[in-house]
Amino acid sequence: MSKKRIVLGIESSCDETSVSLVREKSEFEQEILSNIVNSQIKIHAKTGGVIPEIAARSHSTVIDGLIKKALSAANIKLNEVDAVAATAGPGLLGGLIVGVVAAKTLASVLNKPFIAVNHLEGHALSAKLEHQIAYPYLLLLVSGGHTEFTIINKFNNYNRIGTTLDDALGEAFDKTARVLGLKYPGGPEIEKYALTGDENKFIFPRPIIDQKNCHFSFSGLKTAVAQTVAASKNKNSQFKNDIAASFQKTVCDILLKKTQFAIKEFQKQHPNKKTTIVVAGGVAANQKIKKVFFDIGNEFDCNIFFPSHYLCTDNAAMIAYAGLERLKKNKINNLNFKPRPRWPLDKNAVFLKGKRINV
Ligand code: KG4
Ligand code: ZN
């Protein structure tokens, strides 16, 4: 291979501003030269959730400093960059605009390609930054904004086979934490409190678990948790631990059952392939969920991959990497590409939020 291409990636779709440089190493390998993340958690903790306007302001305040930091940490000069990629959706419009405008400006000054990356493609490919994973594989994306099973047939060929009909799983963790009076983001808090809780103390509903499909629904679970908390007179720490543990167990039961349907669907579509499952997105940082999947791997003879924690939560390394794959295939974008707050990874996927499914 001649010159090893370098892509600068920008992520600003929600509450993390991040800039990364990724360089190709060999045909199937690449290296992260730098990955700088500025988390807005402290800002949003005050309000218990992300306020889009405040998030956008924070992105615009830090973005240029982060670009400088990422270049200097990678020991790369701006003119060595071969393309500039940014998350162009889905996400909060104000934040997307900040990242996309920064990337377009750099690309036009450098006279190098601009690449609009789908944030979900970043998560979908993130595990390939650390492991050599062959296509096709089954992706479970579980984050604050998305919960879906997608078959990654090959690069740029994605088939969503299941999605949430209401809340994303990360959202359910965050809302459960909020009713218990715990910090934002709720996922890590719930995991911590659950460690010393009794997971069988409360029996919560597992909506649509018996439907033979790969869809999820978490809003009934969330409401049941809120009602149990509201009805309790004594909300001491043991109570909080027990709610957290029972909630987390319910989530694990749902994931276990729905993943079995997803494996069947994957095997139907790829009958001669061993099933490989990649679990990505912020919720994939949860150790209990990780254990469920490694058990699934043993029981159903599947390969299981989880990206490292820093690649599970929002980061620009996955965006730069998706940008690099696009650059290799000459899939570059025009400077008039507009950010897309809603942008499904599988363009044929039907929008199912709020829909009832009876299968
Ligand atoms: O992928 P991500 O960083 O941002 C989005 O694209 O949404 O995911 C953030 C979500 C939050 O809802 C957060 O509570 C959840 O991931 N999360 C966790 C854990 N760490 C983060 N959920 C469960 N257990 C965790 N350890
Ligand atoms: Zn994300």
Side-chain angles (χ1 to χ4, degrees), residues 48 144 166-187 190 218-219 221-223 225-226 229 243 247 353:
D166 39 61
D167 293 347
L169 184 51
E171 218 176 329
F173 269 94
D174 292 339
K175 286 177 181 168
T176 297
R178 195 190 297 188
V179 297
L180 289 175
L182 310 182
K183 278 194 309 217
Y184 171 86
I190 295 290
F218 295 111
S219 73
L221 168 59
K222 171 191 75 186
T223 307
V225 171
V229 173
I243 291 275
F247 165 80
K353 276 214 168 165

Side-chain angles (χ1 to χ4, degrees), residues 204-237:
F204 291 130
R206 297 171 301 170
I208 72 169
I209 193 166
D210 291 320
Q211 286 188 8
K212 291 187 174 35
N213 58 37
C214 313
H215 297 310
F216 297 100
S217 166
F218 295 111
S219 73
L221 168 59
K222 171 191 75 186
T223 307
V225 171
Q227 285 170 345
T228 308
V229 173
S232 160
K233 287 193 187 79
N234 187 359
K235 299 182 186 50
N236 60 19
S237 61

Side-chain angles (χ1 to χ4, degrees), residues 119-153:
H119 181 80
L120 306 180
E121 182 171 74
H123 278 303
L125 303 182
S126 59
K128 285 168 74 68
L129 272 162
E130 302 172 303
H131 309 277
Q132 294 217 6
I133 304 172
Y135 298 114
Y137 57 87
L138 173 63
L139 168 77
L140 171 64
L141 173 61
V142 272
S143 71
H146 296 90
T147 299
E148 60 182 63
F149 278 114
T150 298
I151 297 179
I152 310 298
N153 289 311

Side-chain angles (χ1 to χ4, degrees), residues 285-320:
N286 186 290
Q287 297 301 322
K288 193 90 185 172
I289 291 177
K290 243 179 215 174
K291 181 169 182 316
V292 168
F293 278 88
F294 285 113
D295 290 347
I296 289 176
N298 290 333
E299 192 176 340
F300 300 96
D301 191 28
C302 306
N303 302 314
I304 306 291
F305 292 98
F306 279 76
S308 299
H309 186 116
Y310 81 102
L311 292 173
C312 276
T313 50
D314 286 349
N315 65 88
M318 66 184 191
I319 304 305

